[in-house]
Amino acid sequence: TRPAGRFFHIVSGLCAPLTLADFEAINLCKRPLPENFNFAGDVLDQWSQKEKTGERPANPALWWVNGKGDEVKWSFGELGSLSRKAANVLTKSCGLERGDRVAVVLPRIPEWWLVNVACMRAGLVFIPGTTQLTAKDMLYRLQASKAKCVVASEEVIPAVEAIASECPHLKAKLQVSPHSRQGWLSLQELLQAASEEHSCVETASQEPMVIYFTSGTTGSPKMALHSHSSIGIGFTITGRYLLDLKSSDVIWSTSDTGWIKAALCAFFTPWLYGACVFVHRMSQFDTDIFLDTLSTYPITTLCSTPTVYRMLVQKDLKRYKFKKLQHCVTGGEPLNPEVLEQWKTQTGLDLHEAYGQTETGVICASGRGDKIKPGSMGKPVPPQDVQIIDENGHTLPPGKEGDIAVRLTSTRPFYLFSKYEDNPEKTAAVMRGNFYLTGDRGVMDSDGYFWFVGRADDVIITSGYRIGPFEVENALMEHPAVVETAVVSSPDPVRGEVVKAFVVLSAPFKSSYPEELILELQAHVKKSTAPYKYPRKVEFVQQLPKTPTGKIKRDLLRDREWGRT
Ligand code: BCO
């Protein structure tokens, strides 16, 4: 049999580990996808070897700080041995088997990286989630995914406790906490006693590796399933084209651990190139801490959402001298040209925009070395064949607005998500002919640059979050003041757009003080579902616009918000 992730050289008759050049060729579809691939064994362990032989600079693989003086630095070797122990904790102490699902809901702490690597080693499917998830969110996720284990920190343990009894598949709860708690295993304690001996599972390249919950217009969030190769190899060209990473780089990506952006810029892509992943714990976003961090640490590459850059350019950036910063990247929501210009004027650095989503990874970008067209999200990142198409699945010429779509070859490319788990209807609904539909509208210009126009559906993109109106409407409807509601996007100078709720009040609440009631409704949503979804704007109305069949016309409300006729 052929070892995982190795190419059999017909001429020499030898098996050789895959190199970075191999991964680039595979990502570009110039070489076939190997039958087996496991990022831990085929990438991380290779860097560990290179550390031993001095083929990699001495910077850490993971460099974590919390701003309170605590620091963790792991080499690839240390990450390797600790994650082997963690793999034993998951399989032996938690009793998990290959293919089992593990919800990993941790803030930016080293254990998040450790547990994810351990899951890969053991062939477990991990499910990242933001620590903003409420008990109701956790219940839905654990039930829908049939997760057998949850790994949680203090922030989410109470939410898990509240609903664990309703999750029949859940058999192990692993906490990352200094306190002991009945019914919970302690990761830290078990790591102390765990063996370092563990053989990495030879996962198939297309075997499930991770599930992300992602919002749509209707229904609850869907489970976007990715394989070991889709993210593990499929991000390689992004690392070269957009991030331009080298093993001497130190990259700081500020995304929450629950989003694919963390996987993209703070996990797989940097480690494919042997770079150092820098992490600041920062439980609450703070521009001063942010700028001090860039001035204190030798961060070469920064990746953050446009909202963060919008917040940063409000400060006098010329007061700061960034230690090593050379390359700045942004994505997750549209970047306005003014911010790009202000960032360049104040720091002397370009801002490279990337466009993508949980299902696809990065598909367009203004790569390093590319001409940046302010307001454009750049050109397709190879091998992605991004097109603007019409409602019949025909490509449209430059200058014509249509649906942004990715052309698929006869077989589904390995670098795309595999499917929405347990949801063949939704999986089919995002296909039109041989195109995958992003759900976004856009235009391509004659130079092949793409320009974002807006969502084709009712999904709201705010501060880099993708929010389904249905989830917010559901939360609002639980409140006795709300008879009916419609949630749409509304423009915002800092967050790009924000969630706005139009609310029809029930009779007893019609005489309430509006300001107080708005605060009450906002607080209610923050308790019912992840707080980032709360409506930052609320308007009370007598009635909602509807079609003759009674369907709420969200598009009309949205157009009114954006001043469109
Ligand atoms: O703004 P408010 O203070 O009114 O409300 C905030 C929080 O204070 C509040 N909150 C948080 N935890 C809470 C809570 N309230 C009650 N109880 C709790 N436990 O809820 C609101 C949360 O809003 P936020 O997350 O936007 O917070 P903040 O501090 O304004 O952060 C700003 C950003 C920009 C740092 C944040 O919005 C952010 O990190 N955005 C980026 C999201 C992201 O990474 N997206 C990438 C998705 S993946 C992708 O795009 C694919 C690309 C290939």
Side-chain angles (χ1 to χ4, degrees), residues 78 125 176 285 309 320 360 419 425 465:
E78 287 163 321
V125 180
V176 181
F285 178 75
Y309 288 101
Y320 295 86
T360 60
K419 59 178 173 176
E425 299 82 21
Y465 296 117

Side-chain angles (χ1 to χ4, degrees), residues 180-395:
S180 57
R181 206 173 252 109
Q182 215 189 350
W184 288 79
L185 297 166
S186 159
L187 179 64
Q188 285 100 325
E189 275 172 27
L190 292 167
L191 277 177
Q192 306 257 330
S195 160
E196 225 180 89
E197 292 298 312
H198 184 272
S199 317
C200 187
V201 170
E202 285 200 7
T203 44
S205 290
Q206 308 260 37
E207 191 171 323
M209 182 182 73
V210 57
I211 291 173
Y212 282 98
F213 279 84
T214 178
S215 296
T217 294
T218 54
S220 303
K222 311 176 289 286
M223 292 185 277
L225 177 72
H226 276 278
S227 69
H228 280 264
S229 56
S230 63
I231 291 185
I233 303 179
F235 285 178
T236 317
I237 298 303
T238 300
R240 162 94 51 228
Y241 184 76
L242 170 70
L243 299 168
D244 191 23
L245 288 167
K246 301 169 289 304
S247 56
S248 54
D249 278 322
V250 178
I251 177 168
W252 185 26
S253 167
T254 59
S255 178
D256 184 279
T257 54
W259 317 117
I260 201 166
K261 200 129 166 277
L264 177 71
C265 293
F267 199 109
F268 292 94
T269 318
W271 283 347
L272 270 163
Y273 287 83
C276 167
V277 169
F278 179 87
V279 186
H280 195 302
R281 169 78 172 81
M282 212 175 351
S283 27
Q284 188 67 42
F285 178 75
D286 183 307
T287 44
D288 291 327
I289 296 178
F290 199 104
L291 293 166
D292 285 342
T293 305
L294 287 175
S295 313
T296 309
Y297 296 96
I299 294 157
T300 57
T301 313
L302 175 66
C303 179
S304 212
T305 44
T307 296
V308 167
Y309 288 101
R310 270 184 227 114
M311 291 171 169
L312 295 179
V313 295
Q314 315 285 324
K315 309 285 287 187
D316 179 10
L317 295 180
K318 291 205 172 112
R319 275 186 38 229
Y320 295 86
K321 188 162 172 6
F322 301 151
K323 206 160 181 166
K324 283 266 178 84
L325 192 63
Q326 295 165 359
H327 189 46
C328 304
V329 169
T330 192
E333 53 168 319
L335 172 72
N336 36 331
E338 302 77 29
V339 174
L340 190 143
E341 274 154 35
Q342 285 166 23
W343 183 257
K344 173 87 180 177
T345 312
Q346 295 216 50
T347 66
L349 295 165
D350 284 320
L351 202 41
H352 295 260
E353 187 171 351
Y355 164 73
Q357 50 181 210
T358 304
E359 291 85 340
T360 60
V362 172
I363 57 173
C364 282
S366 291
R368 203 163 181 179
D370 276 351
K371 178 185 167 199
I372 294 179
K373 292 194 183 189
S376 154
M377 53 203 192
K379 293 188 286 189
V381 175
Q384 305 275 4
D385 183 358
V386 187
Q387 298 286 342
I388 302 292
I389 63 167
D390 67 13
E391 58 279 12
N392 300 315
H394 299 130
T395 54

